[in-house]
Amino acid sequence: MPLPIEQRTKFFVFVIESPSAPDLYHRRSEGDVISQAVSLNGIHCVVKTAISLEAFNACLKVGISEEMQKFPGFMPLLHISAHGNSEGIQLSDGYMMTWVKLKEYLKPINQALGGSLIVCMSSCEGYSGIRMVMDKNAIDHPYFALIGCSEKPTWGETAVAYATFYHQLARGEFIHDAAEAMRVASGNKHFFLEHSENTHKTFVEFLNNRESQEAIENLEKIVENESPESKTLLKNLLSSSAKIL
């Protein structure tokens, strides 16, 4: 059930778009589609084109702040539209921004927003962006939640998915329900929502379990190198100590 109007978070969509040369040639712009769709719900949307790393940096550090000043009390939803893969995203000028690099650009923005930044990755395998929080020693995360596709969605699927997602949020739906709606509307079940804390916790548990298993295997190798007589002696000693206890 949607939240009452007075309890809904006020937000605007901040789109950073970095189209490829073919996209520019064919005049394909996801930002325009998203802007037109969310405007029907009365949601403010601003689209910035970043063809280089410098422009991308300016969008984050200057553009978002300028829009927040225009709309006091509204929080930005960051929508990044670019070609990408499991390793990161590619900007218009060909620069490949790895997830590690993108993390460093997003961390100060998330900190400035009190850890509430929601990032919508509109790229092939954009869900791989969760790798940004796969650091065992990380304290500060680059986002609160990330939405992305684990596969390679079509232009149509992406446009319908995110238009639906923002529409549901504007209606006061909870974010996980909005993510479910975007999967249904687009017909693509590979769009996922992931919170940074959950991803980080799962990753740390995985590493700890793996390290524990490696330790066990290393200890077993030590025993394997012992002679048969030594193995028997060690087992007998262990058995004797257990009886004493």
Side-chain angles (χ1 to χ4, degrees), residues 4 6 17 28 61 86 102 109 114 146 162 177 183 200 207:
E6 63 274 10
E17 189 171 34
R28 289 192 297 251
K61 294 182 178 177
S86 61
L102 179 57
I109 306 301
L146 180 143
Y162 282 110
D177 292 326
R183 286 191 287 271
H200 185 257
L207 286 183

Side-chain angles (χ1 to χ4, degrees), residues 154-170:
T154 65
W155 272 86
E157 289 171 345
T158 301
V160 170
Y162 282 110
T164 301
F165 178 73
Y166 297 132
H167 169 68
Q168 294 298 324
L169 289 183

Side-chain angles (χ1 to χ4, degrees), residues 128-188:
S128 297
I130 62 173
R131 293 171 62 179
M132 289 188 282
V133 295
M134 290 184 179
D135 180 352
K136 185 176 182 178
N137 300 315
I139 299 176
D140 298 321
H141 297 313
Y143 59 80
F144 168 71
L146 180 143
I147 299 94
C149 186
S150 62
E151 300 292 336
K152 298 179 180 180
T154 65
W155 272 86
E157 289 171 345
T158 301
V160 170
Y162 282 110
T164 301
F165 178 73
Y166 297 132
H167 169 68
Q168 294 298 324
L169 289 183
R171 292 182 63 248
E173 295 288 353
F174 290 100
I175 188 170
H176 57 272
D177 292 326
E180 175 59 28
M182 73 188 292
R183 286 191 287 271
V184 174
S186 66
N188 188 324

Side-chain angles (χ1 to χ4, degrees), residues 3-215:
L3 289 169
I5 295 178
E6 63 274 10
Q7 296 182 20
R8 299 176 189 176
T9 300
K10 297 179 180 179
F11 70 92
F12 65 90
V13 181
F14 189 89
V15 180
I16 300 180
E17 189 171 34
S18 195
S20 65
D23 293 334
L24 292 170
Y25 178 80
H26 292 290
R27 302 180 65 83
R28 289 192 297 251
S29 173
E30 183 183 344
D32 289 343
V33 174
I34 295 299
S35 181
Q36 293 174 21
V38 300
S39 66
L40 296 176
N41 284 312
I43 303 171
H44 175 64
C45 179
V46 58
V47 181
K48 299 292 185 180
T49 301
I51 62 173
S52 65
L53 184 59
E54 291 77 12
F56 187 90
N57 188 33
C59 289
L60 287 175
K61 294 182 178 177
V62 180
I64 292 178
S65 176
E66 288 180 344
E67 293 305 314
M68 291 186 73
Q69 291 177 36
K70 295 177 184 177
F71 296 90
F74 284 69
M75 295 298 289
L77 295 187
L78 179 60
H79 184 108
I80 300 177
S81 176
H83 287 271
N85 55 41
S86 61
E87 300 301 318
I89 59 173
Q90 187 174 41
L91 302 184
S92 301
D93 63 358
Y95 177 79
M96 188 67 194
M97 185 185 297
T98 64
W99 297 123
V100 173
K101 187 70 174 179
L102 179 57
K103 175 179 68 175
E104 296 308 312
Y105 281 96
L106 295 182
K107 278 175 61 177
I109 306 301
N110 189 39
Q111 291 172 0
L113 296 176
S116 64
L117 179 64
I118 295 176
V119 179
C120 294
M121 291 302 310
S122 183
S123 66
C124 288
E125 302 180 73
Y127 182 67
S128 297
I130 62 173
R131 293 171 62 179
M132 289 188 282
V133 295
M134 290 184 179
D135 180 352
K136 185 176 182 178
N137 300 315
I139 299 176
D140 298 321
H141 297 313
Y143 59 80
F144 168 71
L146 180 143
I147 299 94
C149 186
S150 62
E151 300 292 336
K152 298 179 180 180
T154 65
W155 272 86
E157 289 171 345
T158 301
V160 170
Y162 282 110
T164 301
F165 178 73
Y166 297 132
H167 169 68
Q168 294 298 324
L169 289 183
R171 292 182 63 248
E173 295 288 353
F174 290 100
I175 188 170
H176 57 272
D177 292 326
E180 175 59 28
M182 73 188 292
R183 286 191 287 271
V184 174
S186 66
N188 188 324
K189 62 182 180 181
H190 299 290
F191 282 99
F192 297 102
L193 160 72
E194 189 71 28
H195 291 81
S196 60
E197 288 296 338
N198 292 340
T199 304
H200 185 257
K201 180 181 178 181
T202 301
F203 179 68
V204 171
E205 289 176 349
F206 165 76
L207 286 183
N208 289 339
N209 290 335
R210 188 179 67 177
E211 290 170 358
S212 176
Q213 184 59 38
E214 289 178 348

